Amino acid sequence: MWREQFDYFWDGRRRLAIGWFDGVERAPANAARPELTVVSARDEDFSLAPTLIDVIDAPRWRARILLLDLPADHRFLRLTAADGAELALALGAEREAAQERAQAGDWRLAMTLLPDAGGVEPVAFRLAAFPARGDVERLSREQTAGAGARLV
């Protein structure tokens, strides 16, 4: 199902990345992905200032990573496919609350890496997954240090 194919990364402010990243098992790159309508709001019921953020069509999925800009005070998103299937996201800024919600799952760190010096390959995205019950901060520091000067 399309809802399980994607990872979501929020910068804690206005930028949300949706897509699938290198190093993660996902459906093949040529698998069908639905046209999605993305709407954000200030509240869970979408009654306060609902805003159309984007309509993502099939050709745009070839990019694998989509960046969306959200209104500063919007923390709720609804992704709706053409067939009516929906996915609701609640973005949380409070670290402690996010850790409480994620105790059973994994934390994921998305990194953007420049090509090797003199390389002609495009910018790469790498994903590192950590168990929520582990030392997420230490593991994150190790991953970012390992990326070195290529880390954007």
Short mmCIF file of all heavy atoms in Angstrom, two decimals, residues 83-148:
data_model
loop_
_atom_site.label_atom_id
_atom_site.label_comp_id
_atom_site.label_asym_id
_atom_site.label_seq_id
_atom_site.Cartn_x
_atom_site.Cartn_y
_atom_site.Cartn_z
N ASP A 83 -8.16 7.68 -5.08
CA ASP A 83 -9.18 6.69 -4.75
C ASP A 83 -9.82 6.95 -3.38
O ASP A 83 -10.65 6.16 -2.91
CB ASP A 83 -8.61 5.28 -4.81
CG ASP A 83 -7.56 5.01 -3.75
OD1 ASP A 83 -7.25 5.92 -2.94
OD2 ASP A 83 -7.03 3.88 -3.73
N GLY A 84 -9.43 8.04 -2.71
CA GLY A 84 -10.01 8.38 -1.42
C GLY A 84 -9.23 7.89 -0.22
O GLY A 84 -9.52 8.28 0.91
N ALA A 85 -8.23 7.03 -0.42
CA ALA A 85 -7.41 6.55 0.70
C ALA A 85 -6.66 7.73 1.30
O ALA A 85 -6.17 8.60 0.58
CB ALA A 85 -6.44 5.48 0.23
N GLU A 86 -6.59 7.76 2.63
CA GLU A 86 -5.98 8.89 3.32
C GLU A 86 -4.90 8.44 4.29
O GLU A 86 -4.91 7.32 4.79
CB GLU A 86 -7.03 9.66 4.14
CG GLU A 86 -7.96 10.49 3.34
CD GLU A 86 -8.85 11.35 4.22
OE1 GLU A 86 -8.82 11.21 5.46
OE2 GLU A 86 -9.58 12.16 3.65
N LEU A 87 -4.01 9.37 4.54
CA LEU A 87 -3.01 9.22 5.60
C LEU A 87 -2.96 10.54 6.34
O LEU A 87 -2.81 11.59 5.72
CB LEU A 87 -1.64 8.88 5.04
CG LEU A 87 -0.51 8.81 6.06
CD1 LEU A 87 -0.73 7.64 7.03
CD2 LEU A 87 0.83 8.67 5.37
N ALA A 88 -3.13 10.51 7.66
CA ALA A 88 -3.06 11.72 8.47
C ALA A 88 -1.75 11.71 9.24
O ALA A 88 -1.34 10.68 9.77
CB ALA A 88 -4.24 11.78 9.43
N LEU A 89 -1.08 12.86 9.27
CA LEU A 89 0.17 13.02 10.01
C LEU A 89 0.00 14.13 11.03
O LEU A 89 -0.56 15.18 10.73
CB LEU A 89 1.32 13.39 9.07
CG LEU A 89 1.67 12.41 7.97
CD1 LEU A 89 2.75 13.00 7.07
CD2 LEU A 89 2.13 11.09 8.54
N ALA A 90 0.50 13.89 12.24
CA ALA A 90 0.55 14.93 13.27
C ALA A 90 2.02 15.19 13.54
O ALA A 90 2.75 14.30 13.97
CB ALA A 90 -0.15 14.46 14.54
N LEU A 91 2.47 16.40 13.27
CA LEU A 91 3.86 16.77 13.44
C LEU A 91 4.05 17.30 14.85
O LEU A 91 3.32 18.19 15.28
CB LEU A 91 4.26 17.83 12.41
CG LEU A 91 3.97 17.46 10.96
CD1 LEU A 91 4.29 18.62 10.04
CD2 LEU A 91 4.73 16.21 10.56
N GLY A 92 5.03 16.77 15.57
CA GLY A 92 5.25 17.17 16.95
C GLY A 92 6.60 17.82 17.11
O GLY A 92 7.61 17.30 16.67
N ALA A 93 6.62 18.99 17.76
CA ALA A 93 7.87 19.71 17.96
C ALA A 93 8.50 19.42 19.31
O ALA A 93 9.69 19.60 19.47
CB ALA A 93 7.61 21.22 17.84
N GLU A 94 7.74 18.96 20.25
CA GLU A 94 8.27 18.74 21.59
C GLU A 94 9.03 17.42 21.62
O GLU A 94 8.48 16.36 21.37
CB GLU A 94 7.16 18.71 22.64
CG GLU A 94 6.39 20.01 22.73
CD GLU A 94 5.33 20.13 21.65
OE1 GLU A 94 4.89 19.10 21.12
OE2 GLU A 94 4.98 21.26 21.31
N ARG A 95 10.28 17.48 21.96
CA ARG A 95 11.14 16.31 21.93
C ARG A 95 10.63 15.20 22.86
O ARG A 95 10.60 14.04 22.50
CB ARG A 95 12.55 16.72 22.31
CG ARG A 95 13.53 15.62 22.24
CD ARG A 95 14.88 16.16 22.55
NE ARG A 95 15.82 15.07 22.52
CZ ARG A 95 17.10 15.22 22.57
NH1 ARG A 95 17.60 16.42 22.65
NH2 ARG A 95 17.89 14.20 22.56
N GLU A 96 10.28 15.55 24.09
CA GLU A 96 9.83 14.54 25.04
C GLU A 96 8.56 13.84 24.55
O GLU A 96 8.43 12.63 24.64
CB GLU A 96 9.60 15.15 26.42
CG GLU A 96 10.86 15.64 27.10
CD GLU A 96 11.33 17.01 26.59
OE1 GLU A 96 10.51 17.76 26.02
OE2 GLU A 96 12.51 17.31 26.75
N ALA A 97 7.61 14.62 24.02
CA ALA A 97 6.36 14.04 23.53
C ALA A 97 6.64 13.12 22.35
O ALA A 97 6.07 12.05 22.23
CB ALA A 97 5.39 15.13 23.13
N ALA A 98 7.53 13.52 21.46
CA ALA A 98 7.88 12.70 20.31
C ALA A 98 8.54 11.40 20.75
O ALA A 98 8.27 10.34 20.21
CB ALA A 98 8.80 13.46 19.36
N GLN A 99 9.39 11.47 21.76
CA GLN A 99 10.05 10.26 22.26
C GLN A 99 9.04 9.31 22.88
O GLN A 99 9.13 8.10 22.70
CB GLN A 99 11.14 10.62 23.26
CG GLN A 99 12.36 11.21 22.60
CD GLN A 99 13.42 11.63 23.58
OE1 GLN A 99 13.13 11.95 24.73
NE2 GLN A 99 14.66 11.60 23.14
N GLU A 100 8.07 9.84 23.61
CA GLU A 100 7.04 9.00 24.20
C GLU A 100 6.24 8.26 23.13
O GLU A 100 5.94 7.09 23.26
CB GLU A 100 6.09 9.84 25.07
CG GLU A 100 6.70 10.29 26.36
CD GLU A 100 5.77 11.21 27.12
OE1 GLU A 100 4.56 11.23 26.83
OE2 GLU A 100 6.27 11.91 28.02
N ARG A 101 5.89 8.96 22.03
CA ARG A 101 5.11 8.35 20.96
C ARG A 101 5.91 7.31 20.19
O ARG A 101 5.35 6.39 19.62
CB ARG A 101 4.60 9.42 19.99
CG ARG A 101 3.49 10.26 20.53
CD ARG A 101 2.88 11.11 19.45
NE ARG A 101 3.81 12.01 18.81
CZ ARG A 101 4.05 13.25 19.20
NH1 ARG A 101 3.40 13.74 20.23
NH2 ARG A 101 4.90 14.01 18.56
N ALA A 102 7.21 7.45 20.16
CA ALA A 102 8.03 6.59 19.31
C ALA A 102 8.70 5.45 20.06
O ALA A 102 9.58 4.79 19.51
CB ALA A 102 9.09 7.43 18.61
N GLN A 103 8.34 5.16 21.27
CA GLN A 103 9.02 4.13 22.05
C GLN A 103 8.98 2.76 21.38
O GLN A 103 9.90 1.98 21.52
CB GLN A 103 8.43 4.03 23.46
CG GLN A 103 8.83 5.19 24.34
CD GLN A 103 10.32 5.31 24.52
OE1 GLN A 103 11.01 4.35 24.76
NE2 GLN A 103 10.83 6.52 24.37
N ALA A 104 7.94 2.46 20.66
CA ALA A 104 7.82 1.13 20.06
C ALA A 104 8.45 1.05 18.67
O ALA A 104 8.67 -0.03 18.17
CB ALA A 104 6.34 0.74 19.95
N GLY A 105 8.77 2.15 18.08
CA GLY A 105 9.27 2.15 16.70
C GLY A 105 10.74 2.49 16.61
O GLY A 105 11.49 2.35 17.57
N ASP A 106 11.13 2.93 15.44
CA ASP A 106 12.50 3.33 15.19
C ASP A 106 12.55 4.82 14.91
O ASP A 106 11.60 5.41 14.42
CB ASP A 106 13.06 2.62 13.95
CG ASP A 106 13.28 1.14 14.17
OD1 ASP A 106 13.43 0.72 15.33
OD2 ASP A 106 13.29 0.40 13.18
N TRP A 107 13.69 5.42 15.23
CA TRP A 107 14.00 6.78 14.81
C TRP A 107 14.76 6.66 13.50
O TRP A 107 15.52 5.71 13.29
CB TRP A 107 14.89 7.47 15.84
CG TRP A 107 14.14 7.91 17.04
CD1 TRP A 107 13.93 7.20 18.18
CD2 TRP A 107 13.49 9.16 17.24
NE1 TRP A 107 13.19 7.93 19.07
CE2 TRP A 107 12.92 9.13 18.52
CE3 TRP A 107 13.35 10.30 16.44
CZ2 TRP A 107 12.20 10.21 19.03
CZ3 TRP A 107 12.64 11.37 16.96
CH2 TRP A 107 12.08 11.32 18.23
N ARG A 108 14.57 7.61 12.62
CA ARG A 108 15.30 7.60 11.36
C ARG A 108 15.94 8.96 11.13
O ARG A 108 15.32 9.98 11.38
CB ARG A 108 14.37 7.26 10.20
CG ARG A 108 13.90 5.83 10.32
CD ARG A 108 13.11 5.42 9.16
NE ARG A 108 12.70 4.03 9.35
CZ ARG A 108 12.10 3.34 8.44
NH1 ARG A 108 11.81 3.87 7.29
NH2 ARG A 108 11.77 2.09 8.68
N LEU A 109 17.16 8.92 10.66
CA LEU A 109 17.91 10.13 10.35
C LEU A 109 18.12 10.17 8.85
O LEU A 109 18.68 9.24 8.28
CB LEU A 109 19.27 10.09 11.08
CG LEU A 109 20.26 11.19 10.74
CD1 LEU A 109 19.75 12.54 11.25
CD2 LEU A 109 21.62 10.87 11.35
N ALA A 110 17.65 11.23 8.21
CA ALA A 110 17.83 11.41 6.77
C ALA A 110 18.97 12.40 6.57
O ALA A 110 18.99 13.46 7.19
CB ALA A 110 16.57 11.92 6.11
N MET A 111 19.91 12.02 5.72
CA MET A 111 21.05 12.89 5.43
C MET A 111 21.15 13.13 3.93
O MET A 111 20.90 12.23 3.14
CB MET A 111 22.34 12.24 5.93
CG MET A 111 22.40 12.10 7.43
SD MET A 111 23.90 11.30 8.01
CE MET A 111 23.54 9.59 7.59
N THR A 112 21.50 14.35 3.59
CA THR A 112 21.77 14.70 2.20
C THR A 112 23.28 14.77 2.05
O THR A 112 23.94 15.49 2.81
CB THR A 112 21.14 16.06 1.83
OG1 THR A 112 19.75 16.01 2.14
CG2 THR A 112 21.33 16.38 0.36
N LEU A 113 23.81 14.02 1.09
CA LEU A 113 25.26 13.95 0.91
C LEU A 113 25.66 14.45 -0.47
O LEU A 113 25.03 14.09 -1.47
CB LEU A 113 25.74 12.51 1.08
CG LEU A 113 25.40 11.83 2.40
CD1 LEU A 113 25.84 10.38 2.38
CD2 LEU A 113 26.04 12.56 3.56
N LEU A 114 26.71 15.26 -0.51
CA LEU A 114 27.27 15.69 -1.78
C LEU A 114 28.03 14.53 -2.41
O LEU A 114 28.47 13.62 -1.71
CB LEU A 114 28.23 16.87 -1.55
CG LEU A 114 27.59 18.15 -1.02
CD1 LEU A 114 28.67 19.15 -0.66
CD2 LEU A 114 26.64 18.72 -2.04
N PRO A 115 28.24 14.55 -3.74
CA PRO A 115 29.04 13.49 -4.35
C PRO A 115 30.49 13.55 -3.85
O PRO A 115 30.93 14.58 -3.34
CB PRO A 115 28.98 13.80 -5.85
CG PRO A 115 28.29 15.10 -5.99
CD PRO A 115 27.73 15.51 -4.68
N ASP A 116 31.21 12.44 -4.00
CA ASP A 116 32.63 12.44 -3.65
C ASP A 116 33.34 13.55 -4.41
O ASP A 116 32.90 13.94 -5.50
CB ASP A 116 33.27 11.09 -4.00
CG ASP A 116 32.83 10.00 -3.04
OD1 ASP A 116 32.63 10.31 -1.86
OD2 ASP A 116 32.69 8.85 -3.49
N ALA A 117 34.45 14.03 -3.87
CA ALA A 117 35.20 15.11 -4.52
C ALA A 117 35.49 14.75 -5.97
O ALA A 117 36.01 13.68 -6.26
CB ALA A 117 36.50 15.36 -3.77
N GLY A 118 35.10 15.63 -6.86
CA GLY A 118 35.32 15.39 -8.28
C GLY A 118 34.33 14.43 -8.92
O GLY A 118 34.38 14.19 -10.11
N GLY A 119 33.40 13.89 -8.14
CA GLY A 119 32.43 12.95 -8.66
C GLY A 119 31.34 13.65 -9.46
O GLY A 119 31.05 14.82 -9.25
N VAL A 120 30.76 12.93 -10.38
CA VAL A 120 29.71 13.51 -11.22
C VAL A 120 28.32 12.98 -10.84
O VAL A 120 27.33 13.42 -11.40
CB VAL A 120 29.97 13.22 -12.72
CG1 VAL A 120 31.21 13.94 -13.17
CG2 VAL A 120 30.07 11.74 -12.98
N GLU A 121 28.25 12.04 -9.89
CA GLU A 121 26.95 11.53 -9.49
C GLU A 121 26.16 12.62 -8.77
O GLU A 121 26.72 13.57 -8.25
CB GLU A 121 27.07 10.26 -8.63
CG GLU A 121 27.80 10.45 -7.34
CD GLU A 121 29.31 10.21 -7.46
OE1 GLU A 121 29.82 9.89 -8.53
OE2 GLU A 121 29.98 10.39 -6.44
N PRO A 122 24.84 12.50 -8.75
CA PRO A 122 24.01 13.53 -8.11
C PRO A 122 24.10 13.47 -6.59
O PRO A 122 24.68 12.54 -6.02
CB PRO A 122 22.60 13.17 -8.58
CG PRO A 122 22.66 11.71 -8.87
CD PRO A 122 24.07 11.44 -9.35
N VAL A 123 23.53 14.47 -5.96
CA VAL A 123 23.43 14.47 -4.51
C VAL A 123 22.71 13.20 -4.08
O VAL A 123 21.77 12.74 -4.74
CB VAL A 123 22.65 15.72 -4.05
CG1 VAL A 123 22.30 15.64 -2.58
CG2 VAL A 123 23.44 16.98 -4.35
N ALA A 124 23.16 12.59 -2.99
CA ALA A 124 22.55 11.34 -2.52
C ALA A 124 21.82 11.58 -1.21
O ALA A 124 22.18 12.46 -0.43
CB ALA A 124 23.64 10.29 -2.32
N PHE A 125 20.80 10.78 -0.99
CA PHE A 125 20.09 10.79 0.28
C PHE A 125 20.39 9.46 0.96
O PHE A 125 20.34 8.41 0.34
CB PHE A 125 18.58 10.92 0.07
CG PHE A 125 18.19 12.23 -0.52
CD1 PHE A 125 17.97 12.36 -1.88
CD2 PHE A 125 18.05 13.36 0.28
CE1 PHE A 125 17.61 13.57 -2.44
CE2 PHE A 125 17.70 14.57 -0.26
CZ PHE A 125 17.48 14.68 -1.63
N ARG A 126 20.74 9.53 2.23
CA ARG A 126 21.00 8.30 2.99
C ARG A 126 20.13 8.32 4.23
O ARG A 126 19.93 9.36 4.86
CB ARG A 126 22.47 8.20 3.36
CG ARG A 126 22.76 6.86 4.03
CD ARG A 126 24.21 6.59 4.18
NE ARG A 126 24.86 7.65 4.94
CZ ARG A 126 26.14 7.66 5.18
NH1 ARG A 126 26.93 6.72 4.73
NH2 ARG A 126 26.67 8.65 5.88
N LEU A 127 19.66 7.16 4.60
CA LEU A 127 18.78 7.02 5.75
C LEU A 127 19.43 6.06 6.73
O LEU A 127 19.92 5.00 6.34
CB LEU A 127 17.44 6.45 5.29
CG LEU A 127 16.37 6.32 6.35
CD1 LEU A 127 15.83 7.70 6.72
CD2 LEU A 127 15.25 5.45 5.84
N ALA A 128 19.46 6.45 8.00
CA ALA A 128 19.95 5.59 9.06
C ALA A 128 18.81 5.37 10.05
O ALA A 128 18.14 6.32 10.43
CB ALA A 128 21.15 6.23 9.76
N ALA A 129 18.57 4.13 10.42
CA ALA A 129 17.49 3.79 11.36
C ALA A 129 18.10 3.38 12.70
O ALA A 129 19.11 2.68 12.75
CB ALA A 129 16.63 2.67 10.80
N PHE A 130 17.50 3.86 13.78
CA PHE A 130 17.96 3.54 15.13
C PHE A 130 16.78 3.04 15.96
O PHE A 130 15.67 3.57 15.84
CB PHE A 130 18.50 4.78 15.84
CG PHE A 130 19.41 5.63 15.02
CD1 PHE A 130 19.09 6.94 14.77
CD2 PHE A 130 20.59 5.12 14.50
CE1 PHE A 130 19.93 7.75 14.02
CE2 PHE A 130 21.43 5.91 13.75
CZ PHE A 130 21.10 7.23 13.51
N PRO A 131 17.01 2.08 16.85
CA PRO A 131 15.92 1.67 17.74
C PRO A 131 15.60 2.81 18.70
O PRO A 131 16.50 3.47 19.22
CB PRO A 131 16.49 0.46 18.48
CG PRO A 131 17.96 0.57 18.33
CD PRO A 131 18.24 1.33 17.08
N ALA A 132 14.32 3.06 18.93
CA ALA A 132 13.89 4.17 19.78
C ALA A 132 14.40 4.02 21.21
O ALA A 132 14.60 5.00 21.91
CB ALA A 132 12.36 4.27 19.77
N ARG A 133 14.63 2.81 21.64
CA ARG A 133 15.08 2.59 23.01
C ARG A 133 16.59 2.71 23.15
O ARG A 133 17.13 2.60 24.23
CB ARG A 133 14.61 1.22 23.50
CG ARG A 133 13.11 1.11 23.55
CD ARG A 133 12.69 -0.24 24.12
NE ARG A 133 11.28 -0.46 23.92
CZ ARG A 133 10.33 -0.01 24.72
NH1 ARG A 133 10.65 0.72 25.75
NH2 ARG A 133 9.07 -0.26 24.47
N GLY A 134 17.29 2.93 22.05
CA GLY A 134 18.74 3.07 22.10
C GLY A 134 19.17 4.50 22.37
O GLY A 134 18.35 5.38 22.64
N ASP A 135 20.45 4.74 22.29
CA ASP A 135 21.01 6.07 22.49
C ASP A 135 20.96 6.81 21.15
O ASP A 135 21.94 6.84 20.40
CB ASP A 135 22.44 5.96 23.01
CG ASP A 135 23.04 7.30 23.37
OD1 ASP A 135 22.41 8.34 23.08
OD2 ASP A 135 24.14 7.31 23.94
N VAL A 136 19.81 7.38 20.83
CA VAL A 136 19.57 8.01 19.53
C VAL A 136 20.55 9.15 19.28
O VAL A 136 21.07 9.29 18.18
CB VAL A 136 18.10 8.49 19.43
CG1 VAL A 136 17.86 9.27 18.16
CG2 VAL A 136 17.16 7.30 19.52
N GLU A 137 20.83 9.94 20.30
CA GLU A 137 21.73 11.08 20.10
C GLU A 137 23.14 10.61 19.74
O GLU A 137 23.77 11.15 18.82
CB GLU A 137 21.75 11.96 21.35
CG GLU A 137 20.46 12.72 21.53
CD GLU A 137 20.49 13.65 22.73
OE1 GLU A 137 21.60 13.97 23.22
OE2 GLU A 137 19.41 14.04 23.16
N ARG A 138 23.66 9.61 20.44
CA ARG A 138 25.00 9.11 20.14
C ARG A 138 25.04 8.49 18.75
O ARG A 138 25.96 8.76 17.97
CB ARG A 138 25.43 8.07 21.18
CG ARG A 138 26.84 7.49 20.90
CD ARG A 138 27.20 6.39 21.88
NE ARG A 138 26.26 5.28 21.87
CZ ARG A 138 26.25 4.31 20.95
NH1 ARG A 138 27.10 4.32 19.96
NH2 ARG A 138 25.38 3.32 21.03
N LEU A 139 24.06 7.70 18.42
CA LEU A 139 24.03 7.07 17.10
C LEU A 139 23.91 8.12 15.99
O LEU A 139 24.54 7.99 14.94
CB LEU A 139 22.87 6.07 17.02
CG LEU A 139 23.00 4.86 17.95
CD1 LEU A 139 21.69 4.08 17.99
CD2 LEU A 139 24.14 3.97 17.51
N SER A 140 23.15 9.17 16.22
CA SER A 140 23.03 10.25 15.24
C SER A 140 24.35 10.96 15.05
O SER A 140 24.76 11.26 13.92
CB SER A 140 21.96 11.26 15.67
OG SER A 140 20.70 10.65 15.71
N ARG A 141 25.03 11.25 16.15
CA ARG A 141 26.35 11.91 16.05
C ARG A 141 27.33 11.05 15.27
O ARG A 141 28.10 11.54 14.45
CB ARG A 141 26.90 12.21 17.44
CG ARG A 141 26.29 13.44 18.08
CD ARG A 141 27.08 13.87 19.32
NE ARG A 141 27.22 12.82 20.32
CZ ARG A 141 26.32 12.57 21.28
NH1 ARG A 141 25.24 13.29 21.37
NH2 ARG A 141 26.53 11.60 22.15
N GLU A 142 27.32 9.73 15.52
CA GLU A 142 28.23 8.83 14.80
C GLU A 142 27.95 8.86 13.30
O GLU A 142 28.87 8.88 12.48
CB GLU A 142 28.09 7.41 15.33
CG GLU A 142 28.67 7.22 16.71
CD GLU A 142 28.38 5.84 17.29
OE1 GLU A 142 27.73 5.00 16.60
OE2 GLU A 142 28.81 5.58 18.43
N GLN A 143 26.66 8.83 12.92
CA GLN A 143 26.30 8.84 11.51
C GLN A 143 26.72 10.15 10.83
O GLN A 143 27.25 10.14 9.72
CB GLN A 143 24.80 8.63 11.33
CG GLN A 143 24.35 7.23 11.63
CD GLN A 143 24.85 6.24 10.59
OE1 GLN A 143 24.87 6.51 9.41
NE2 GLN A 143 25.27 5.08 11.06
N THR A 144 26.46 11.27 11.49
CA THR A 144 26.81 12.55 10.88
C THR A 144 28.32 12.72 10.82
O THR A 144 28.84 13.26 9.83
CB THR A 144 26.15 13.74 11.63
OG1 THR A 144 26.49 13.68 13.00
CG2 THR A 144 24.65 13.70 11.47
N ALA A 145 29.05 12.26 11.83
CA ALA A 145 30.52 12.34 11.78
C ALA A 145 31.06 11.46 10.65
O ALA A 145 31.99 11.84 9.95
CB ALA A 145 31.11 11.93 13.12
N GLY A 146 30.45 10.29 10.46
CA GLY A 146 30.89 9.38 9.40
C GLY A 146 30.65 9.94 8.01
O GLY A 146 31.36 9.61 7.06
N ALA A 147 29.67 10.81 7.86
CA ALA A 147 29.40 11.42 6.56
C ALA A 147 30.45 12.45 6.20
O ALA A 147 30.68 12.74 5.02
CB ALA A 147 28.01 12.05 6.56
N GLY A 148 31.10 13.03 7.20
CA GLY A 148 32.18 13.97 6.97
C GLY A 148 31.77 15.21 6.20
O GLY A 148 30.66 15.73 6.34
#
